[in-house]
């Protein structure tokens, strides 16, 4: 008799979990279905860039960019005027060619410049002094009084190992900042 009650209780829990999953689609991942969940350069990077681009084919203007500022970067989008958004921006530092996955730059309401390089790492390791170099590049673009922060986007939000002591950077994650915060509206 007790096993029947246990079975019915488990069955009800399973039913409730499936109802919740149907509401949230938590198990649905388009990248996994296409077997591209680890393809940073050819899948994640162009997809995120297309959404951030106000002239993107989504025809939503700066809606996704504004949500990205608010939900992922934790910045008030209304205080920033984005004048530059690039993907795989090439630059030379100390004689070496580098490419930031994304570079968002512009002018704040207080007329200070800002520059936010975003470096995405899914499986690749960091290059020597990578975060520090990207921070220095951002600082070159903003000047001493501007806002320069490197965002280090990983699956789990791990800390960078190449930040150096002066580099201002913020770890962000696909898990928490891209998915859980609701950056992409349903």
């Amino acid at each position: 008799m007790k096993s029947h009650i246990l079975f019915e209780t488990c069955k009800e829990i399973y039913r409730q979990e499936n109802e919740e999953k149907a509401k949230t689609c938590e198990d649905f991942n388009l990248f996994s279905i296409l077997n591209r969940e680890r393809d940073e350069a050819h899948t994640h990077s162009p997809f995120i860039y297309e959404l951030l681009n106000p002239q993107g084919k989504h025809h939503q203007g700066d809606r996704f960019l504004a949500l990205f500022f608010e939900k992922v970067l934790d910045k008030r989008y209304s205080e920033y005027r984005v004048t530059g958004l690039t993907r795989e921006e090439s630059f030379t530092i100390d004689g070496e060619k580098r490419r930031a996955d994304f570079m968002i730059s512009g002018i704040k309401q207080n007329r200070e410049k800002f520059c936010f390089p975003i470096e995405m790492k899914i499986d690749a390791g960091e290059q020597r002094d990578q975060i520090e170099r990207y921070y220095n590049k951002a600082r070159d673009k903003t000047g001493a009084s501007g806002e320069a922060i490197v965002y280090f986007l990983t699956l789990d939000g791990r800390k960078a190992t190449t930040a150096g002591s002066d580099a201002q950077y913020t770890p962000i994650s696909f898990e928490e900042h891209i998915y859980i915060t609701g950056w992409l509206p349903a």
Side-chain angles (χ1 to χ4, degrees):
M1 187 67 163
K2 289 183 181 179
S3 63
H4 175 69
I5 293 170
L6 178 62
F7 177 74
E8 289 300 319
T9 302
C10 289
K11 192 171 152 182
E12 178 58 22
I13 291 170
Y14 180 75
R15 185 193 63 74
Q16 288 174 0
E17 284 180 355
N18 280 337
E19 277 184 14
E20 188 61 28
K21 286 179 180 181
K23 289 178 192 173
T24 64
C25 296
E26 71 181 59
D27 290 338
F28 183 81
N29 182 327
L30 182 60
F31 298 126
S32 293
I33 292 167
L34 299 173
N35 198 26
R36 296 293 207 179
E37 64 266 42
R38 316 265 330 159
D39 189 353
E40 173 189 318
H42 300 101
T43 302
H44 296 282
S45 185
F47 181 73
I48 290 172
Y49 177 76
E50 180 65 20
L51 291 175
L52 293 177
N53 183 357
Q55 286 78 42
K57 294 178 183 173
H58 49 70
H59 300 288
Q60 297 298 306
D62 67 351
R63 180 177 182 206
F64 295 119
L65 181 61
L67 286 169
F68 189 81
F69 263 73
E70 303 279 339
K71 306 264 184 183
V72 178
L73 305 183
D74 198 25
K75 305 275 183 201
R76 294 184 71 126
Y77 182 67
S78 60
E79 295 176 7
Y80 294 82
R81 191 176 95 232
V82 174
T83 58
L85 171 65
T86 58
R87 177 175 168 254
E88 299 293 330
E89 180 171 324
S90 293
F91 51 92
T92 303
I93 300 177
D94 300 331
E96 295 182 40
K97 283 242 181 219
R98 298 285 180 230
R99 284 191 331 254
D101 289 315
F102 307 103
M103 191 84 75
I104 303 172
S105 59
I107 301 171
K108 296 171 63 173
Q109 274 185 340
N110 63 6
R111 297 190 180 270
E112 288 180 356
K113 293 179 180 180
F114 72 90
C115 183
F116 303 143
I118 301 171
E119 181 57 26
M120 182 177 12
K121 294 291 183 190
I122 293 180
D123 287 327
E126 295 172 54
Q127 300 166 5
R128 181 180 55 83
D129 302 325
Q130 186 173 22
I131 301 302
E132 187 170 3
R133 289 170 184 245
Y134 289 8
Y135 174 73
N136 290 337
K137 178 60 178 177
R139 180 55 68 209
D140 287 347
K141 284 186 163 218
T142 64
S145 64
E147 184 178 9
I149 302 170
V150 177
Y151 289 89
F152 187 60
L153 176 59
T154 62
L155 294 175
D156 59 0
R158 70 177 168 85
K159 291 185 177 182
T161 60
T162 61
S165 58
D166 294 332
Q168 291 186 28
Y169 87 98
T170 301
I172 54 177
S173 74
F174 279 96
E175 183 179 341
E176 180 182 345
H177 299 93
I178 302 296
Y179 305 136
I180 294 175
T181 63
W183 169 48
L184 300 178

